[in-house]
Amino acid sequence: MKFLIIGGDAAGMSAASRARRNQPQAEVTVLEKTADVSYSACGMPYNIADPARPIDDLVVRQASVFREKQGIRLLTGHEARHIDPAGKTVSGLRGPDQPFRFSYDKLLIATGASPLLPDKPGFDLPGVMVLKSLADGGKIKAFLASRPVKRVVVIGMGYIALEMAEALCARGLQVDMIKPRPEILPWLPGEMAQDVRAEIARHGVNLYPGNEIERIEAVGSGLAVCGPDVTLNGEMVLVAIGIRPNSRIAAEAGLALSVQESIGVDKMLKTSDEHVFAAGDCADAVHVVSGRRVWIPLALRANRAGWAAADNVFGDQQTLQGVAGTAVFKVFDLAVARTGLNAAEARQAGFDPVDIMIESRSRAHAHPGSSSIKVSMVGDRKSGRLLGAQMVGREGVAHRINAPAVALHAQMTVSQFAQSDLAYAPPFGPTWDPLLIAAHQLVKKV
Amino acid sequence: MKFLIIGGDAAGMSAASRARRNQPQAEVTVLEKTADVSYSACGMPYNIADPARPIDDLVVRQASVFREKQGIRLLTGHEARHIDPAGKTVSGLRGPDQPFRFSYDKLLIATGASPLLPDKPGFDLPGVMVLKSLADGGKIKAFLASRPVKRVVVIGMGYIALEMAEALCARGLQVDMIKPRPEILPWLPGEMAQDVRAEIARHGVNLYPGNEIERIEAVGSGLAVCGPDVTLNGEMVLVAIGIRPNSRIAAEAGLALSVQESIGVDKMLKTSDEHVFAAGDCADAVHVVSGRRVWIPLALRANRAGWAAADNVFGDQQTLQGVAGTAVFKVFDLAVARTGLNAAEARQAGFDPVDIMIESRSRAHAHPGSSSIKVSMVGDRKSGRLLGAQMVGREGVAHRINAPAVALHAQMTVSQFAQSDLAYAPPFGPTWDPLLIAAHQLVKKV
C-alpha cells in the first residue's frame, strides 16, 4: 500500500507517524515544499519575543528522526503542483525545476493554510512580514537582529496579531496596530473586547481600528502604512489579517470545496474522491453545536485529523465528532477564551439565542490576589441548549473554557450544565464558579 | 407558610436567602447555635496564614444584613435540640438554659458536620485545636498570637491538614504531621501521592505516616503527641482527621440515615419525612457515576442543595443531578484535583475499572516556565465509560479537572471524551492537552 501525503506540518506528519507505527509494511511518503517539518507554529510569537532563543528551538522532531527512526520517506523541498485522481499520481517540482511524479493508493492532502496579503501596493516591500511558517518566523528574527528596528506596525488585530504585539513589546519595540473594522475581536461581547483593548493600550501599544489601509510605502530607511486618515511609520510591518486554506491543488483536481474554499471532508476525513483524504488547516469540519460545515483551522484539530485520516486510509472506521471551536490566547496579562458559538453565530446557525455576561472573581471572597473574570454564555431559547461561552480574565481562563467545551460535545442544556459539580478551593475561584454563575443567569432567560 | 431552618451556614443561609427572595410572603426563621453565619469556611487556612488579617475578613455577609436587608428572622445563639415531626416543632436552648420551641410548616436541617476527635487521653488539653467553625479559626489565631508557638503537630494528612500545614509554615512555624495510615492521600495513585509527599517535605514539614497516636500529654509549657514509636512535641496540636455529619437530631426524630450516618435525602432534598428537608454537610447525595448514595461534604453542593431545598419547600420541583466528587486543593506550590471515582472506588461500585497515569507538561514544547502535570484516568471495561480522573501539578490543574467532571455528568465514554475540542495555546498547555493524552492512553485499555 502506497500512502502519499502532501504537506509535512501538523496534520501530515501526525498522519505519517501514525501510519508507520500502526502499518509497518506500508510505504509512507511525505512531500513537503519547505525544509521544515514538525515545529510548534503556535509557539513562534513567544520565541520571537526572546532574541536569545534560536527559532529552531520550536522544532519538535527533526526530519532525520522521521526518516531514520520512523522509516518515513520524507521529501523536503518537494512542492506538489498537480493531483491526477484518475491516474492516482501527484506531480510537482523538486528544487526550482526538477519535475517529480509519485503514484499513490491513498492520498492525504495536508497543505495547510497561507497568510492573506491584500492586493495593494507595497505589501511586497522588504520589511513587510507575515507569520505562518517557521521560515517566516526566522525571517522576522533575522530582520530584527540585523536592523535598527524601533517601531513595528501590525496590520490586523486577531490573535496572531495580538500575540505578536506582545512579543514585539517584550523586545522593547513600539507597536502600532491598525485594521479596517472598528471592533477588536468582534466575536467577543463589546464589554469584554473593551477589556482586551484596555490591556493592550496599558502596555503602550497604539490601536487604530476602523482605519482603511491603502498602501505601504518605503520612506527613508523605513516603511509607512498609509490610509486615508492615518499614516503609521515603522521599520517593520507585520501583516496578520488572517489565513486562507491551501486548497487550489484540490480544486484543480476536481475535489469538492466547502466553506471559505476549504477542502470538504466527511467525518472520516475523506474528500469527494474515495482515495483522497484531507486534514489540517486546508480542510473543513463539522461544528458540534450547529451541525454545519465550518472552517476553523486550529492545531489540535490538525493533529487529530491527521491521526484519524491515517487510520482510515488503512481501513479503520475512525469518525471524528467535529469541532467546538474552542480556543484560547494570551494578550499580555489577559487570557481570552471561547468555545462554541456567540449570539450572532448562533442566530446565523438557525438558533434562537439569548446571551448573558457576568463578572466574577478568579479567587474566593477575601482570598488575596483575586482578579476579575468575565464570562459570556449563550443558550438556545427553543431547546434550552448551551451554545457557547466566551471568557476574559487574568487567571483561570485558559482551562476553565474546557468545561463548557465538553458540555457542547455532550449537547447539554444550560440547565444541565448549571448543575455540574465543579472544583472549588479559595485560591482557584469562588464557591460558585464563574461558569456556574453565568449558567444560572442564563437558565433564567432560556 | 412557616419555613424553619436549623443551621445558618452555607446550606442554611443559601436556603433562607433564596426563600426570602422568591417567596416574600413566607416567614423564614433560621436557628444558628453559634454567633457566626455566612463565612468562607474553606478560606480559613489562608486567613490563618496571615497574622495581620482579622478572622472576620472571612465573613461574607453579616447577620444584620440577613435580618435587616433580607427580612430573615435569624436567631443566633439558638441551639436546636429536638425535632417533633408529628407536632411539627423544633425545640432547644437559647443561651445556656432558656428553652425555645418553634413550629414549622416545612423544616430544613442544615446542621453541617463536626470535626472528629479520637476518644483518647489528652485531646481535650488546652492548645489542642480543630478547624471547622469560624470560632475554631479565631481560637487558633488568638492562640498563635498570644503564645510563643514555634512548633505545631498536625494529626491527619487530609486536605484540611495539608492546607493548614502550608498556612502554619507561612507563619514561620515548624510543622510535624502524623497519622496512623501509611499512605498520604490514599485515593491518589501512589506515584502522584509521592509527588505531594515530596512537595510537603521540600517545605521542611516532617511527615510521620503509619504511626498510631495513643495520647496527648502536657509537657512543660507545651504538648507531646505520643505513640508507640514516635513522640512529637509542639506548643500547639491541630487535629484534622476528618468530619462527621451532625445528624443526631435527625436520627432522634426518626428520620432515615444514609451512608456514614448522613441524613438520607432524595433528589429533591427531602428526608424520609415529607415536611423535612436536609441540605449541606449533614446530608447525603447521589453520585453521578455510581448512582449510589454517598456522603461527600463540599461547599458547592451545600450552597446548591440549600437553594434547591428552598425552592422545593415552596412547591417547585427542583431535582439535583448529584455530585461527581470534584475537588481541588493547594499544597504549597502543587494543586491536587479529582473528580469521579478512582480505580478502587470504581471496583467497589461494581464497575470493571482500568486506569492509567500519564505525565505531561503544563505548557507547550519549548515554552518557558513549563512544569510537570500528572493525570490519572479511570474507565470501565464493560461500558467504555469514563469513571474519574485525578491530577497533580504546579499549574493548570484546578480548572482542568472540570472538563472530565462535566464529562462524568454527561456519562461520556472515554472515547467520546478523547474527542473533546479543548483549548490550546503554548502558555497554557501542549497541543494535546494532558487530559487528552490520558484519555487516548485509556481508550486503548477499556
Side-chain angles (χ1 to χ4, degrees), chain A residues 14 18 40 42-44 46 53 57-60 163 298-301 303-304 307 318-330 334-335 337-339 362 364-368 395-407 409-410 412 415-429 431-433 435-436 440 444, chain B residues 14 18 40 42-44 46 53 57-60 163 298-301 303-304 307 318-330 334-335 337-339 362 364-368 395-407 409-410 412 415-429 431-433 435-436 440 444:
Chain A
S14 292
R18 179 89 162 189
S40 171
C42 305
M44 287 197 289
Y46 305 96
R53 284 176 61 200
D57 268 11
L58 296 169
V59 173
V60 179
E163 287 173 349
L298 289 171
L300 173 61
R301 167 73 184 190
N303 282 274
R304 179 175 269 155
W307 273 19
Q318 293 283 352
T319 60
L320 289 190
Q321 280 183 18
V323 298
T326 315
V328 64
F329 61 93
K330 188 172 163 292
L334 274 188
R338 67 170 299 178
T339 190
S362 66
H365 167 80
H367 198 89
E395 62 177 5
V397 161
H399 306 115
R400 224 177 215 118
I401 200 69
N402 291 334
V406 171
H409 279 276
M412 274 187 178
S415 164
Q416 287 168 336
F417 180 70
Q419 287 217 22
S420 301
D421 189 8
L422 304 187
Y424 161 60
F428 306 118
T431 313
W432 287 99
D433 193 276
L435 288 168
L436 297 178
H440 278 285
K444 293 181 199 161
Chain B
S14 292
R18 180 88 161 189
S40 171
C42 304
M44 287 197 289
Y46 305 97
R53 283 176 63 202
D57 269 10
L58 296 169
V59 173
V60 179
E163 287 174 348
L298 288 172
L300 174 62
R301 167 73 186 191
N303 282 274
R304 179 175 270 155
W307 273 21
Q318 293 283 351
T319 61
L320 289 191
Q321 281 182 17
V323 297
T326 315
V328 64
F329 60 93
K330 188 171 163 293
L334 274 187
R338 67 170 301 178
T339 190
S362 67
H365 168 81
H367 198 89
E395 60 177 6
V397 161
H399 307 114
R400 228 180 212 114
I401 199 69
N402 291 334
V406 171
H409 279 276
M412 274 187 176
S415 164
Q416 287 168 335
F417 180 70
Q419 288 216 21
S420 301
D421 188 7
L422 303 187
Y424 161 60
F428 306 118
T431 313
W432 289 98
D433 192 276
L435 288 169
L436 298 177
H440 278 284
K444 293 180 198 161

Side-chain angles (χ1 to χ4, degrees), chain A residues 49-67:
Chain A
D50 182 355
R53 284 176 61 200
I55 195 83
D56 286 346
D57 268 11
L58 296 169
V59 173
V60 179
R61 220 174 294 175
Q62 298 287 349
S64 58
V65 175
F66 289 108
R67 289 183 186 122

Side-chain angles (χ1 to χ4, degrees), chain A residues 78-264:
Chain A
H78 281 61
E79 184 177 2
R81 292 284 190 90
H82 299 289
I83 301 166
D84 172 10
K88 294 171 87 176
T89 61
V90 172
S91 57
L93 290 178
R94 180 173 67 231
D97 55 3
Q98 281 189 281
F100 66 76
R101 179 181 305 269
F102 291 95
S103 64
Y104 62 80
D105 296 309
K106 300 287 177 186
L107 175 67
L108 173 64
I109 305 175
T111 43
S114 295
L116 290 169
L117 269 179
D119 186 19
K120 289 178 178 169
F123 280 78
D124 54 352
L125 285 170
V128 179
M129 304 290 184
V130 293
L131 181 65
K132 185 72 177 67
S133 68
L134 193 66
D136 294 336
K139 205 173 140 197
I140 290 172
K141 291 198 92 160
F143 191 87
L144 292 174
S146 64
R147 311 284 178 102
V149 176
K150 290 212 167 69
R151 294 162 306 170
V152 178
V153 181
V154 176
I155 302 177
M157 298 185 195
Y159 72 94
I160 301 286
L162 295 172
E163 287 173 349
M164 278 301 294
E166 181 184 343
L168 296 166
C169 283
R171 292 184 66 136
L173 302 173
Q174 171 60 45
V175 178
D176 294 337
M177 304 186 80
I178 184 168
K179 72 164 194 170
R181 286 181 69 171
E183 315 91 2
I184 296 188
L185 304 172
W187 48 269
L188 268 185
E191 186 179 330
M192 290 163 73
Q194 197 50 46
D195 289 350
V196 177
R197 188 170 175 157
E199 177 71 5
I200 303 165
R202 196 169 72 86
H203 285 83
V205 174
N206 299 315
L207 293 168
Y208 300 89
N211 280 284
E212 288 295 337
I213 297 120
E214 287 171 342
R215 65 192 180 283
I216 303 176
E217 283 177 7
V219 178
S221 63
L223 296 162
V225 175
C226 309
D229 303 312
V230 175
T231 296
L232 299 173
N233 290 286
E235 293 77 37
M236 189 177 102
V237 174
L238 177 74
V239 184
I241 57 172
I243 58 175
R244 59 172 175 71
N246 293 329
S247 57
R248 211 186 45 150
I249 193 172
E252 287 177 355
L255 301 177
L257 295 193
S258 174
V259 281
Q260 290 177 264
E261 309 221 302
S262 58
I263 304 171

Side-chain angles (χ1 to χ4, degrees), chain B residues 106-131:
Chain B
K106 299 287 176 186
L107 175 68
L108 173 65
I109 305 175
T111 43
S114 295
L116 290 169
L117 270 179
D119 185 19
K120 288 178 179 169
F123 280 78
D124 53 353
L125 285 170
V128 179
M129 304 289 185
V130 294
L131 181 65

